[in-house]
C-alpha cells in the first residue's frame, strides 16, 4: 500500500483520490481552501444558488465510470439528465439555432430550420459532414490518448499524426464551413474556455462530434452536487482530507518525491498526484515554464424576480463580446438564478449587453454577484480552464500524466487531456491506470 498525497481538491483531485483509495492506497488530500470542489461548487446568496463553474458535462460515461470504479454507481446517488437543446445559438443577424444532440439527422433538421436549405450543399449538409468528419479522430484519440496513458512508442502512426497536425481549428472550420455562423458554433467551446481557435489544433473540434453523439448532461439542482457526492465517497473510502492546507512544494531527493511541503508541515508520500497548476509547485515549475494558463471568463451571477423569457439551459449570444447565459440555477419561488459568462470586448456592463441582445431583465435583477477572472484564479489557486493553446507545441510543453520526477503524476485541467469535466475526469482515470492497485 503506497502513501499517496493528492494536491488540490477540485474535480481532478477528488476523482484521483477516490479512484486511488478504491485501489487500496492510503490517500491524503491536501486542499488550500476550506471547502472541496474547486470550480465544481456553488455560489450562494440571499436564497439564490448558482453553479460557480461547470453547469453541464459532455461524455457522462466519464462521471459514471468514476462512481462505479470507486464504489456505488452514480444512479444510486445523483441523477444525470440530458440538456435539450444542448445550446441555443443566437447570431447578430437575428437568426437562432436550437442545437439538439443525439443524431446527425436531428442536427441536420435543426440547422436547416434555422439557417435555411435550398443550395446544392446547404449549411446543414456542411455542418453534419464537418461534425461527422471527427468520428475517426474521436475513435483513434479515445483509444490511444484519452483512455490509455499516451506512449509515443506504442501509438499508431494515425494517432501521432493527428496530435502533431499543423492545422488549427480556425483553418479547419474555414475550410469545411462556408457559413460564418456555423464556424462560430464550431469554435464556441474553445473560445469560452479562453482559447484562440487560431492556436488550437484542429482535432479539438472532435468535441462537437462528442456533443452530437452523446449529448450534454446536467445534475438537477446543480453540478455542484457532484462535489458533495464525491466528498462522501472519500469518507467511505477512508481518505484523509486536510482542508485549509496549501501545498507549497514537493520534497524531492535524487529525483524521487518523498513528501509534500504544506502550510502545516511536511506530509510524507510515496506517490504525489498534482491536481493543481504545476507552475505553483517549484519542483515542477521548470518543466512547464513554456506554458501559460487560459484565463477564465468574466462571471456574473444574477438573481432575477418576476417573469422572464422562457429560455433553454444554455444560450450563446454570438458577437464581440460573446455572452453565454446559463439559466439553471436554484432560486426562491417566483425568482430565477441565471449566470452570465462573458468573453471578448466587455466595454459596457454585461447585463446591459444582455439587454441589448434582446434579453431584457436588467430592471428585475435583485441580487448580483460579479466575479472577475482575477478573483476566480485567486479563489481556485489557478485557472480551471487549464493551459492556453499556443499551437501544437503546447502538447509537448504541458506535462503529461507522469511527471519527470519519480513518483509524481498529474491530474486536472493543466495536464492531459485538458480542461472541462470529461477531460479532467479522464486525467484521474489515467493516473489510476499508471499507479495501479496497492
Ligand atoms: C466559469 C467556468 C465555467 C465552466 N463551465 C464548464 C462546463 O459547463 N462544463 C465543463 O465540463 N467544464 C466547465 N468548466 C471547466 C471545469 O470547471 C474545469 O476544467 C474543472 O472543474 C477543473 O478541475 P480541476 O480539479 O483541474 O481544477 P480546479 O477546479 O481549479 O480545482 C483546483 C483545486 O486545487 C486547490 N488548490 C490550488 N492550489 C493549491 C495548493 N497549492 N495546495 C492545495 N490546494 C490547492 C484549489 O483551491 C481548488 O480547490 C468551467 C470553468 C469555468 C471557470
Amino acid at each position: 500500500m503506497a502513501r499517496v498525497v493528492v494536491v488540490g481538491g477540485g474535480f481532478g483531485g477528488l476523482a484521483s483520490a477516490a479512484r486511488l483509495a478504491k485501489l487500496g492506497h492510503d490517500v491524503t488530500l491536501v486542499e488550500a481552501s476550506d471547502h472541496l470542489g474547486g470550480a465544481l461548487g456553488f455560489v450562494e446568496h440571499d436564497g439564490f444558488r448558482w453553479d460557480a463553474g461547470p453547469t453541464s458535462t459532455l461524455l457522462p460515461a466519464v462521471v459514471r465510470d468514476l462512481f462505479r470504479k470507486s464504489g456505488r454507481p452514480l444512479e444510486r446517488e445523483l441523477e444525470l439528465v440530458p440538456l435539450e437543446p444542448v445550446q441555443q445559438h443566437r447570431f447578430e443577424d437575428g437568426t437562432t439555432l436550437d442545437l439538439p444532440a443525439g443524431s446527425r439527422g436531428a442536427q441536420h433538421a435543426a440547422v436547416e430550420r434555422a439557417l435555411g436549405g435550398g443550395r446544392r450543399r446547404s449549411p446543414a449538409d456542411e455542418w453534419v459532414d464537418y461534425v461527422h468528419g471527427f468520428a475517426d479522430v474521436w475513435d483513434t484519440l479515445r483509444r490511444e490518448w484519452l483512455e490509455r496513458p499516451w506512449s509515443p512508442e506504442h501509438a499508431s502512426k494515425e494517432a501521432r499524426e493527428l496530435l502533431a497536425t499543423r492545422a488549427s481549428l480556425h483553418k479547419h472550420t474555414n475550410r469545411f464551413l462556408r457559413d460564418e455562423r456555423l464556424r462560430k458554433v464550431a469554435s464556441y467551446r474553445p473560445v469560452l474556455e479562453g482559447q484562440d481557435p487560431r492556436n488550437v489544433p484542429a482535432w479539438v473540434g472532435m468535441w462537437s462530434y462528442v456533443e452530437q453523439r452523446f449529448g450534454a448532461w446536467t445534475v438537477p439542482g446543480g453540478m455542484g452536487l457532484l462535489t458533495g457526492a464525491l466528498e462522501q465517497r472519500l469518507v467511505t473510502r477512508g481518505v484523509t482530507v486536510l482542508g485549509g492546507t496549501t501545498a507549497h512544494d514537493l520534497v524531492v531527493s535524487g529525483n524521487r518525491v518523498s513528501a509534500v511541503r504544506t502550510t502545516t508541515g511536511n506530509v510524507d508520500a510515496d506517490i504525489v498526484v498534482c491536481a493543481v497548476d504545476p507552475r505553483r509547485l517549484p519542483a515542477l515549475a521548470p518543466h512547464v515554464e513554456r506554458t501559460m494558463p487560459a484565463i477564465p471568463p468574466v462571471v456574473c451571477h444574477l438573481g432575477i424576480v418576476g417573469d422572464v423569457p422562457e429560455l433553454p439551459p444554455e444560450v450563446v449570444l454570438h458577437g464581440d463580446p460573446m455572452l453565454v447565459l446559463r439559466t439553471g440555477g436554484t432560486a426562491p419561488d417566483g425568482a430565477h438564478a441565471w449566470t452570465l459568462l462573458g468573453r471578448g470586448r466587455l466595454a459596457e456592463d454585461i447585463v446591459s449587453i444582455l439587454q441589448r441582445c434582446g434579453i431584457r431583465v436588467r430592471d428585475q435583477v435583485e441580487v448580483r454577484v460579479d466575479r472577475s477572472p482575477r478573483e476566480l484564479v485567486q479563489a481556485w489557486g489557478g485557472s480551471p480552464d487549464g493551459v492556453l493553446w499556443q499551437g501544437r507545441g503546447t502538447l509537448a510543453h504541458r506535462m503529461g500524466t507522469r511527471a519527470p520526477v519519480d513518483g509524481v503524476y498529474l491530474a486536472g485541467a493543466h495536464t492531459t487531456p485538458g480542461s472541462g469535466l470529461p477531460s479532467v475526469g479522464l486525467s484521474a482515470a489515467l493516473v489510476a491506470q499508471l499507479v495501479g492497485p496497492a
Side-chain angles (χ1 to χ4, degrees), residues 175-187:
R175 186 165 159 218
F176 288 96
L177 299 166
R178 278 177 299 174
D179 193 304
E180 200 200 341
R181 293 166 296 184
L182 290 178
R183 296 203 290 268
K184 287 184 169 161
V185 173
S187 330

Side-chain angles (χ1 to χ4, degrees), residues 112-337:
E112 193 148 281
R113 225 174 8 254
L115 308 188
R119 293 208 302 260
R120 199 163 54 85
R121 245 176 86 65
S122 69
D125 296 334
E126 288 187 359
W127 175 254
V128 292
D129 287 351
Y130 166 80
V131 174
H132 195 69
F134 287 105
D136 290 344
V137 176
W138 164 247
D139 205 42
T140 303
L141 293 186
R142 180 182 62 75
R143 273 186 286 111
E144 300 198 41
W145 193 62
L146 296 168
E147 292 183 357
R148 195 174 93 184
W150 173 249
S151 147
E153 312 86 69
H154 300 116
S156 66
K157 184 163 170 275
E158 201 188 349
R160 277 185 278 121
E161 281 176 3
L162 266 174
L163 294 177
T165 181
R166 279 181 190 281
S168 68
L169 184 63
H170 175 73
K171 258 199 201 146
H172 193 73
T173 54
N174 272 351
R175 186 165 159 218
F176 288 96
L177 299 166
R178 278 177 299 174
D179 193 304
E180 200 200 341
R181 293 166 296 184
L182 290 178
R183 296 203 290 268
K184 287 184 169 161
V185 173
S187 330
Y188 115 89
R189 272 186 197 278
V191 169
L192 182 60
E193 288 164 10
Q195 307 289 352
D196 178 344
R198 285 180 170 77
N199 296 328
V200 173
W203 56 262
V204 172
M206 74 179 177
W207 292 105
S208 295
Y209 173 76
V210 172
E211 181 178 275
Q212 183 202 84
R213 180 138 176 231
F214 306 108
W217 297 70
T218 192
V219 174
M223 288 301 282
L225 293 173
L226 265 179
T227 290
L230 283 170
E231 223 172 318
Q232 194 47 50
R233 187 61 47 103
L234 299 197
V235 173
T236 312
R237 299 260 75 93
V239 173
T240 305
V241 175
L242 304 180
T245 306
T246 301
H248 289 313
D249 202 358
L250 307 180
V251 180
V252 179
S253 42
N255 201 46
R256 172 138 214 117
V257 74
S258 60
V260 176
R261 187 168 297 143
T262 77
T263 31
T264 52
N266 286 2
V267 186
D268 292 340
D270 306 308
I271 288 170
V272 171
V273 180
C274 169
V276 300
D277 182 348
R279 297 176 324 133
R280 306 256 162 175
L281 302 176
L284 299 180
H287 302 288
V288 284
E289 63 189 7
R290 292 174 76 177
T291 63
M292 301 226 307
I295 302 303
V298 165
V299 177
C300 174
H301 300 295
L302 298 172
I304 302 168
V305 292
D307 293 339
V308 295
E310 194 136 323
L311 294 169
E314 179 143 325
V315 183
V316 185
L317 300 148
H318 292 280
D320 190 6
M322 178 182 90
L323 300 191
V324 175
L325 174 62
R326 295 174 158 183
T327 59
T330 308
D333 280 351
H336 310 269

Side-chain angles (χ1 to χ4, degrees), residues 7-13 30-33 37-39 52-56 245-247 275-276 296-297 299 326 341 379-381 384-385 412-413 419-422 424:
V7 177
F11 184 55
V30 175
E31 165 56 46
S33 92
T55 51
S56 65
T245 306
T246 301
V276 300
V299 177
R326 295 174 158 183
L341 310 177
W380 294 321
D385 282 322
S419 67
L421 296 180
V424 169

